[in-house]
Amino acid sequence: MEGLQMPCSPTQRHAHRLFEQLPSLPEDMHGNDGRERARHAFVVRTLNRLRTGGAVTGDRAEDWRRVARQLGMLWQMGRDRDYRLTVAGLQLIALEAEPLEPAPAGPVRGAGPHGGDLIFAWHAAEGDWISVPGKVAGPLVETSMGMPDLEGVAGTVLLIDQRHRFRPGGPPDADVLIDAAERIERLDAEVERARASQQWERDCREQRGR
């Protein structure tokens, strides 16, 4: 393609190979409310970024993990034998490429709005006290990739424990969708638990006073 630099790193070459060899989505996979079309568009979009040296999420290894997962879903949903064999082979290449990527830059120390470390969502461990700027905070329950849309765009879904908050009848967890490359803030869990406990007591007193 005119104006496109040739891939230089091994993983860029992997991405270029997958991009060129990815088969079109069979017509019989265009149903299912467009879910397979969205997955296919996601793989195309992400591979295009990887082969030109970028990363949709800001972390090339995570991009490869997401590509491999979506190729696995396309393989499972496919009916045509040749299509399934091709996609399965491409998934293996994606799985091989992921560990070859260098680790991204580490946490941005103390740069968060509350003085915490800015990290990628998938680098947080279960139970880490995290804050999504402008949204919610609490212990992390799990992180997952959101379902891609028909443009191939997929965010990151965070499930955040909310049981530390005084909310009678409220749900125990909150689902938060963030942009794929958005960083979250990891806070000192011990300090935040103490603060949450104090806030709980204040809220209880306020509730009793009504």
Side-chain angles (χ1 to χ4, degrees):
M1 184 181 298
E2 186 176 353
L4 178 66
Q5 293 185 344
M6 290 301 294
C8 53
S9 73
T11 53
Q12 278 182 261
R13 289 193 288 271
H14 278 324
H16 187 75
R17 178 181 173 190
L18 265 69
F19 186 87
E20 294 295 324
Q21 295 183 3
L22 181 68
S24 299
L25 195 70
E27 285 294 328
D28 63 8
M29 293 178 68
H30 281 219
N32 194 21
D33 296 323
R35 295 179 72 84
E36 277 58 68
R37 284 186 291 139
R39 290 188 170 104
H40 186 271
F42 171 84
V43 172
V44 170
R45 176 174 178 264
T46 307
L47 288 175
N48 193 44
R49 187 73 65 87
L50 285 168
R51 72 176 182 148
T52 53
V56 172
T57 63
D59 178 349
R60 288 176 61 86
E62 175 65 14
D63 274 22
W64 280 114
R65 284 190 286 272
R66 295 184 177 206
V67 165
R69 283 196 294 270
Q70 296 310 303
L71 286 171
M73 291 300 299
L74 291 172
W75 172 82
Q76 290 180 39
M77 298 302 295
R79 298 177 184 176
D80 180 81
R81 181 176 179 275
D82 290 339
Y83 175 82
R84 283 168 55 86
L85 285 174
T86 300
V87 171
L90 297 181
Q91 184 188 25
L92 289 177
I93 297 174
L95 291 170
E96 291 170 356
E98 181 263 319
L100 300 178
E101 293 289 0
V108 184
R109 299 291 182 186
H114 304 99
D117 300 336
L118 294 180
I119 62 172
F120 289 117
W122 48 92
H123 291 166
E126 181 181 353
D128 281 353
W129 199 288
I130 64 168
S131 172
V132 180
K135 297 180 181 177
V136 299
L140 178 67
V141 178
E142 65 179 12
T143 305
S144 60
M145 173 184 158
M147 180 65 202
D149 62 21
L150 288 175
E151 299 299 319
V153 178
T156 297
V157 180
L158 301 172
L159 189 62
I160 302 173
D161 191 338
Q162 296 295 285
R163 287 174 293 181
H164 61 283
R165 298 179 59 191
F166 184 77
R167 298 192 306 167
D173 301 320
D175 285 312
V176 182
L177 178 66
I178 63 175
D179 293 338
E182 185 177 347
R183 295 209 185 203
I184 60 175
E185 187 176 10
R186 182 165 55 199
L187 302 170
D188 186 312
E190 185 175 346
V191 170
E192 295 305 317
R193 287 193 187 94
R195 286 178 179 169
S197 179
Q198 293 171 1
Q199 186 63 51
W200 182 287
E201 292 298 328
R202 288 194 293 269
D203 291 345
C204 281
R205 289 194 297 271
E206 181 180 334
Q207 183 73 13
R208 288 195 295 267
R210 291 179 180 175

